[in-house]
């Protein structure tokens, strides 16, 4: 046995040498795992590009979607006029709620509803994830924040809100998130507080089969009995469904046969509805 081989064998039995060998093995394994992570990250990035979910694609989508909303949602004046009818249901509870806490509007957009409530003397606030519309609302002097709807609602103390509203929001959410949103609203509302959710009405077949899908961020229509049942399960009471915005062709009358009335309702009836419920006192 040569001197060099003898020295190597002696060194291999020393604790320091064994520790160095083990460390080299660990470093090699760590490098192998890093290489795997890099490969998986590259595969995931390719998937995001194919799915249209890369950062660049999302920026382009956000810009186009804002333009789509501006094209189809109508002017602020038209939207305010459509929402004006809801004010009466808040005024019915004004004596108990107007000074009891703020009304939080989720997905407030340009702030038309916040403005309407503020004009009637309510403490109205809004939150929206779109910084462009939030800046527009703030420029009009409205109390609107840019942020996540769930975080804003969860950040409210228990029993602190006079009302929670959301116009054309819940159809954008997975239904499990709708359930979570309603639970959060129930917690944050004070007894007697109002919950108002407006959404497209699938009872109208033109909405259910065509109009609803003009917005690519819509996930699923929600039938009125389904959301009403959910609200009662969570604990809300005093519920009603408010059907809104029928087509000009829709008419009701005793001169119509039952079939004519049903067909007219399904084709030209209300295009939207709102769930209006209360937290029990």
């Amino acid at each position: 046995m040569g001197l060099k081989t003898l020295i190597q064998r002696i060194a291999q039995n020393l604790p320091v040498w064994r520790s160095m060998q083990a460390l080299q093995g660990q470093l090699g394994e760590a490098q192998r795992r890093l290489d795997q992570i890099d490969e998986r990250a590259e595969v995931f990035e390719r998937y995001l590009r194919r799915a249209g979910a890369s950062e660049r694609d999302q920026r382009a989508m956000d810009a186009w979607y804002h333009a789509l909303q501006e094209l189809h949602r109508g002017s602020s004046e038209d939207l305010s006029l459509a929402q004006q009818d809801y004010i009466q249901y808040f005024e019915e509870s004004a004596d108990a709620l107007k000074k009891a806490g703020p009304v939080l509007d989720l997905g407030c957009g340009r702030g038309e509803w916040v403005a309407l409530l503020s004009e009637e003397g309510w403490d109205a606030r809004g939150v929206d994830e779109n910084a462009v519309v939030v800046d527009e609302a703030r420029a009009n002097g409205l109390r609107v924040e840019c942020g996540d709807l769930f975080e804003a609602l969860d950040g409210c103390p228990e029993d602190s809100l006079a009302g929670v509203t959301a116009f054309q929001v819940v159809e954008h959410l997975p239904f499990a998130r709708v359930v979570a949103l309603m639970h959060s609203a129930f917690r944050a509302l004070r007894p007697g507080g109002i919950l108002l959710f407006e959404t497209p009405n699938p009872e109208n077949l033109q909405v259910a089969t065509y109009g609803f899908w003009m917005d690519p961020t819509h996930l699923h229509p929600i039938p009125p009995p389904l959301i009403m049942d959910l609200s009662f399960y969570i604990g809300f009471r005093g519920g009603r469904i408010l059907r809104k915005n029928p087509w000009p062709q829709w008419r009701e009358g005793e001169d119509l046969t039952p079939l004519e009335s049903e067909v007219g309702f399904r084709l030209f009836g209300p295009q939207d509805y709102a769930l209006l419920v209360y937290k029990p006192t």
Side-chain angles (χ1 to χ4, degrees):
M1 179 184 300
L3 180 60
K4 182 177 180 181
T5 303
L6 178 61
I7 293 174
Q8 287 177 339
R9 287 190 176 181
I10 294 173
Q12 288 172 355
N13 290 317
L14 293 176
V16 174
W17 176 268
R18 291 198 299 270
S19 297
M20 291 178 63
Q21 291 289 89
L23 182 59
Q24 287 179 346
Q26 292 172 2
L27 289 173
E29 177 63 17
Q31 185 60 52
R32 186 182 66 80
R33 293 185 179 182
L34 286 173
D35 291 341
Q36 289 179 341
I37 291 173
D38 289 341
E39 291 174 4
R40 290 171 183 171
E42 185 178 347
V43 170
F44 184 61
E45 180 61 30
R46 288 201 300 270
Y47 167 77
L48 290 178
R49 288 197 297 270
R50 288 196 300 270
S54 68
E55 184 177 348
R56 183 182 65 179
D57 291 336
Q58 192 60 53
R59 285 198 304 268
M61 175 67 180
D62 289 344
W64 174 79
Y65 185 69
H66 179 63
L68 179 73
Q69 285 188 310
E70 289 297 304
L71 179 65
H72 289 286
R73 72 182 303 193
S75 66
S76 290
E77 293 76 13
D78 290 339
L79 194 56
S80 294
L81 186 62
Q83 294 176 339
Q84 182 71 46
D85 288 345
Y86 294 123
I87 289 291
Q88 61 182 303
Y89 301 103
F90 282 77
E91 288 300 306
E92 289 174 356
S93 304
D95 291 343
L97 294 179
K98 196 171 252 186
K99 298 182 183 299
V103 176
L104 180 62
D105 187 32
L106 306 173
C108 63
R110 297 173 299 198
E112 291 88 354
W113 176 242
V114 174
L116 281 172
L117 285 174
S118 299
E119 290 168 4
E120 297 295 329
W122 291 82
D123 177 8
R125 307 173 188 180
V127 59
D128 200 286
E129 297 178 350
N130 189 315
V132 175
V133 295
V134 167
D135 288 343
E136 184 176 343
R138 285 177 172 173
N140 292 324
L142 302 176
R143 300 179 65 182
V144 172
E145 299 294 331
C146 186
D148 180 80
L149 312 184
F150 287 87
E151 291 179 2
L153 188 55
D154 290 341
C156 296
E158 186 174 357
D159 298 337
S160 65
L161 298 179
V164 174
T165 59
F167 292 86
Q168 308 292 320
V169 169
V170 293
E171 66 274 9
H172 296 266
L173 303 175
F175 197 75
R177 296 300 279 162
V178 178
V179 176
L181 187 68
M182 202 172 287
H183 273 293
S184 295
F186 189 86
R187 181 199 63 81
L189 282 167
R190 62 174 291 111
I194 301 172
L195 178 76
L196 176 68
F197 283 174
E198 186 191 81
T199 188
N201 183 15
E203 295 172 324
N204 181 314
L205 296 179
Q206 292 196 74
V207 172
T209 62
Y210 180 75
F212 184 87
W213 307 106
M214 281 296 294
D215 188 324
T217 66
H218 284 175
L219 294 183
H220 45 72
I222 304 176
L226 177 61
I227 200 166
M228 177 68 81
D229 178 78
L230 172 62
S231 71
F232 272 60
Y233 170 79
I234 287 173
F236 289 99
R237 293 295 181 266
R240 66 186 96 173
I241 295 294
L242 309 173
R243 292 172 173 84
K244 308 283 290 182
N245 307 321
W247 286 79
Q249 298 94 322
W250 186 48
R251 68 185 184 92
E252 295 179 287
E254 295 181 357
D255 60 320
L256 298 177
T257 67
L259 178 60
E260 289 172 335
S261 179
E262 180 69 13
V263 170
F265 176 77
R266 295 301 174 185
L267 292 180
F268 305 118
Q271 300 173 74
D272 302 293
Y273 75 87
L275 170 76
L276 179 74
V277 288
Y278 301 84
K279 183 173 179 177
T281 56

